[in-house]
Amino acid sequence: ATQVQRVAIIDCDVHQGDGTAAIFEREPDVLTISLHCGKNFPFRKHPSDLDVDLDVGTRDAEYMAELRSALAVMLKFQPQLGAQPSVM
């Protein structure tokens, strides 16, 4: 069986991925990225490797630009398991 060494997790919803960040905070081979509304639950955020705090009312174009930037960070990490975008 092949084992995966490097994993990327991208959490893309309105809430910050604090649980994921807490679980993997001491795992250098797991990259955690969260795109979320900065003014939303949880109010005390557990830091991910990359947190993108979006403003209330963020429009699609800005969201997609931030997501592209986050994906570029993920690709530099070179995960063996994670999202692999075909077009950036």
Side-chain angles (χ1 to χ4, degrees):
T2 302
Q3 291 190 350
V4 175
Q5 300 297 315
R6 295 169 68 79
V7 175
I9 300 170
I10 301 178
D11 188 329
C12 300
D13 64 19
V14 71
H15 304 105
Q16 193 251 0
D18 62 320
T20 303
I23 290 168
F24 295 109
E25 70 182 337
R26 290 186 172 87
E27 294 290 338
D29 292 327
V30 177
L31 176 72
T32 58
I33 298 174
S34 179
L35 280 82
H36 54 271
C37 179
K39 295 181 179 177
N40 204 333
F41 177 86
F43 297 107
R44 244 190 275 160
K45 304 197 178 353
H46 196 100
S48 302
D49 294 309
L50 173 62
D51 283 300
V52 180
D53 294 337
L54 301 168
D55 291 328
V56 173
T58 296
R59 307 295 294 178
D60 291 348
E62 182 183 352
Y63 181 89
M64 293 305 295
E66 293 290 352
L67 179 58
R68 281 186 197 92
S69 295
L71 290 173
V73 170
M74 182 206 69
L75 291 172
K76 286 180 185 175
F77 180 72
Q78 298 182 329
Q80 294 170 298
L81 185 61
Q84 295 294 324
S86 58
V87 177
M88 292 197 45

